[in-house]
Amino acid sequence: MPELPEVEVVRSGLARWVAGRTIADVDVTLARSIRHHVAGPTDFADRLRGRTVESVERRGKFLWLTLDDGEALLAHLGMSGQLLMQPQGELDEKHLHVRIRFTDAGRELRFVDQRTFGGLRIEPLVREPWAGRWVPESVHHIAPDPFEPGFDLTAVAKRLRSRQTGIKRALLDQRLISGIGNIYADEALWLARRHFARPTSAFTRPQVAELVGHATDVMAAALAQGGTSFDSLYVDVNGSSGYFERSLNVYGREALPCRRCGRGIVREPFMNRSSFRCPQCQRTPPNAHW
DNA sequence: AAGAACTCCTGGATGC
DNA sequence: TGCATCCAGGAGTTCT
């Protein structure tokens, strides 16, 4: 499940492989994978052909290739998406949906996605003065992630505290702060000893800072591990996730002892998914807001 | 209008 | 063993 660190590993790997190269041709074999590109597969291919990739950028879980005509090829990996660099002629992956070949006939870029929540689209870039950068149109409403220069912790704390909801819902809301998914939200809450349903309004500014700091630290640690093991000849989202899994404190550890107090970790349904917490370290608050 | 629920999707794991 | 059900969850859409 690619969250910010996994997407950043893909971004940096991709940058090495595609920056400066010119697109020769595009094959879309599953229209759903470009469903957000409303003009359709033919338009998608036509607009990419002949374009040169200038850079590869990211905000939260979105990543995009800036093109030489001011537009961007935007990608979201969803649950299971992968962007792979493969030699031409290499056997097609079972869930290969989009293939992009370059004029130098070197490795081709492949979008592979089993569960098809992810997708590609072409969009104009829009200027964000406050963030000091250009982002694709549909990334405009996504808040800066904690690693962006434009990230404003004071503003995040202010907005978060004024909300009428629970803390985990807020952490997962990409319009407030981006990059955090279910795994890192649970990890940050465990580190801060907070219940996921604690009302946002109950947080003081220093408490928000502490929690966001933990989320940032966990993502940075994941990135450091994923990044160092990214040495293979292709970009693989799932390839390096196993090692970091072993250092998670709560996520996926149902019934295993809490690493702080020994109590069994519990799994609870939340927002059509699961939340993991320690029932001792992360007590249910009296004014819980599910 | 903010906040919550619903929806999309596949295949590995689990249950009977 | 085989069939059915559960489960993973990011984000756009729809609802209240």
Side-chain angles (χ1 to χ4, degrees), chain A residues 27-181:
Chain A
D27 272 333
V28 177
T29 45
L30 182 69
R32 179 176 159 77
S33 289
I34 60 153
R35 65 192 177 285
H36 294 297
H37 188 83
V38 287
T42 305
D43 179 82
F44 182 80
D46 287 348
R47 289 168 68 174
L48 286 177
R49 205 173 295 115
R51 298 274 67 78
T52 297
V53 179
E54 292 183 337
S55 62
V56 187
E57 305 192 37
R58 182 189 59 73
R59 162 173 287 176
K61 305 166 195 170
F62 287 84
L63 80 84
W64 62 92
L65 281 56
T66 58
L67 307 173
D68 59 2
D69 62 352
E71 295 200 305
L73 172 57
L74 175 64
H76 196 289
L77 302 176
M79 289 291 297
S80 54
Q82 293 173 285
L83 286 166
L84 310 175
M85 298 303 307
Q86 295 282 49
Q88 292 196 28
E90 182 72 28
L91 195 66
D92 286 0
E93 290 77 8
K94 184 178 178 188
H95 301 289
L96 171 63
H97 304 320
V98 180
R99 184 201 317 273
I100 297 176
R101 291 202 177 91
F102 296 89
T103 53
D104 56 19
R107 283 178 183 253
E108 60 188 32
L109 173 59
R110 297 180 178 185
F111 179 69
V112 176
D113 190 8
Q114 180 200 114
R115 281 180 255 185
T116 73
F117 278 19
L120 308 179
R121 68 188 102 167
I122 300 164
E123 287 189 354
L125 291 160
V126 297
R127 174 102 181 124
E128 284 186 351
W130 71 88
R133 64 187 301 203
W134 293 77
V135 302
E137 228 167 34
S138 61
V139 174
H140 187 54
H141 71 287
I142 301 293
D145 66 57
F147 298 97
E148 283 187 60
F151 182 75
D152 183 350
L153 181 59
T154 305
V156 170
K158 187 176 179 182
R159 291 179 63 202
L160 184 145
R161 277 156 40 81
S162 70
R163 290 208 171 178
Q164 305 262 321
T165 190
I167 187 61
K168 188 170 172 182
R169 286 181 186 277
L171 283 181
L172 294 177
D173 187 343
Q174 307 295 302
R175 295 165 303 181
L176 184 63
I177 177 172
S178 71
I180 302 174

